[in-house]
Amino acid sequence: MQKRTGILFYPGMILLLAVLLFPLLWQFVASIKPPSELFGDEAFRFYTSNPSLENYELVFTLRPFATYMWNSTVVAVLTTVYCIVIASFAAFAIARLHFPGKSLVLGLVLAVSMFPQIATIAPIFMFMDSVDLTNSWIGLVIPYTTFALPLAIWNLTTFYRKIPADLEEAAKIDGATIMQTFWKVFFPLAVPGTFTTAILVFIAAWNEFLFALTINTEEAWKTVPVGIALFQGQFTVPWGEIAAASVIVTIPLVIMVLIFQRRIIDGITSGAVKE
Amino acid sequence: MKKPLLDEKRMGALLLFPSLITILVIAIWPVLRSFWISLHDVRLNNPTKTQVHADYGINLEKFSEVYPVLKRNLDAAAGEAEPDVKQELTALKERAEKVNGRLMNDPDIARKLEQVDELLLEGDPVPEELRTATLTKETADEIMADLKEIRDVLSRLAEEKKLKDDTLSGLGRGLSESVIEPNFVGLGYYVKLIKDKRMWDALENTFVFTVISVSLELILGLAIAIFINRKFFGRGMVRAAVLVPWAIPTVISALMWKFMFDGQNGIVAKWFETIGLVSDMGELLTTKFGSMFAIIFADVWKTTPFMALLLLAGLQTIPRSLYEAADVDGASKLRQFIHITLPMLKSTILVALLFRTLDAFRIFDLVYVLTGGGPANATETISIYAYKTMFAQMNFGEGSALSVVVFLCVALISGVFVKLLGADLISDGRGK
């Protein structure tokens, strides 16, 4: 950490950033190029002399992209809220209460987070189909719990553990019940951790592909990843529109990452790194 | 102080209840159910095989759709046929009536059939509980024998051109399909899969992809972590930039790379051709080697940053004093790395490797979008193969067997890592 920066440091850093960010830059350039410049000799130019927003317009007029965005937002928000609420109780119990079988529960949660999605999809699809929940928001929120809930419980448990035990004891001495301790002492202190976990769950749900691909197949119910992946052109791949759609989806995520950078890093590393 | 209504043990159970029940219903049950489905011949494109059937049964919707038409057509055909054919057709009609009579003998089935008839007449959808009825094995055997006879005679007559058209033989086939047989096949699919070259190829592809991309991600990630583990200008921005590839949906990054790897207009393909990495731009997505390289490259781009952040967090927990002491003792940077950094990072590396390996092994979306498993199945991973079997061929039994194979592999991999990590992984954190 305290290492000083050498001569090669900044050029190295710039190279690293260039490699990481180039695809995004290229996608942006492609999104403002007119179709004719996406192919042929001009395909490799880093700039365009005729920038246009036509692709952005097409994404919303030719395709139901706004619908995709709305579906993704609703599904991701519902999943996040539902999982965070029930995971908060579970995490508090695992981190702060004494009862037998705790490690077993935690082990189970960890094991479930390792389950491959493909191994659950057949029964989930058949169930959703038989109760007519395919092509609906709930039809995705329910299966999304498979990965979102273990993620939430795991992260929140780490945050609840970090809260000093003294507070718990003080609350106990003052005669607070377990629920009072949870609501008045722990939950307020865990708000930052809860928020961090919510961001991670939201990103995971927003990015999900396999369930969305199989369960919501109608145009009006597709989510963003499925919608974009299935953009079809009549003769060629509509790269310009794909690029514009990608830029639209990427910008909010980039902003989110910029604002919550510290928290996200906390969140993804908290389970893996022992302090 | 009054004793609380619920002690900690009960309260703990109560607080855990919603999460545990959700996990049970949404993750554990489906996995067990997948295994159960994999023992059955379940096909969503075949009306009598859409579910697991342990018993014999009859598809009442199908029966009452076909039976009256068949009877009417048999009458009509008999009316204009030669005497010998006429005799056969009349006999068949009697047989069909016998089957109907047998079904009507059962008051439950008779009631259901009546309701189904009514619904069909109105053109209303038939609800699930009316659609099928269970039969005893004896009844089913008898009915099946009769229906088989009807089907066989009609198709023979059709072949001998003694019928005006194919409608009757089609109806005969349709009626015989209304009987539902138990579709238990036991371990049949697993036996078939063991001999299936495509599955072994898919496993090999998955394995190659996992090993190469995870090793590259670990090496590059460690290098980047060490590289940025210092104070420098713009550190926050760099860390945010590093997070971007991790945060954008895999599908979007797959599309970005598909565009850049494109054989005619892809800029990265062109660069690779220029520096001689590939002999022709088109090779990247059209050859076995090229396409595997392409998915590994895209995955490394997306996940190395994530790996680097995990390792960076680990690096920051190593006390600085260890390095200072080593410096005083005159240890070289390399020795410091081998004797301090690596051992101190061991559990972080193992945890990161565990999650990355599992993710890589389960990979679906990147491959689905970037190559679709092609060319010629060269990049087909085991999850892709399972998906195609289930949703393109509608063969849920065999697809589930494949997905169970993925599950078993994942369990095996986690088992190995958990053994290496020991109780560290889920220790309850209070012991310290």
Side-chain angles (χ1 to χ4, degrees), chain A residues 169-191:
Chain A
E169 277 149 29
K172 225 180 216 169
I173 289 166
D174 289 342
T177 64
I178 294 173
M179 274 323 263
Q180 282 170 335
T181 321
F182 173 65
W183 280 119
K184 301 203 167 143
V185 181
F186 281 96
F187 189 74
L189 287 170
V191 163

Side-chain angles (χ1 to χ4, degrees), chain B residues 188-200:
Chain B
Y189 285 127
Y190 295 94
V191 174
K192 185 182 161 203
L193 284 176
I194 287 179
K195 297 179 201 142
D196 179 20
K197 183 169 180 299
R198 189 167 164 196
M199 185 197 75
W200 290 108

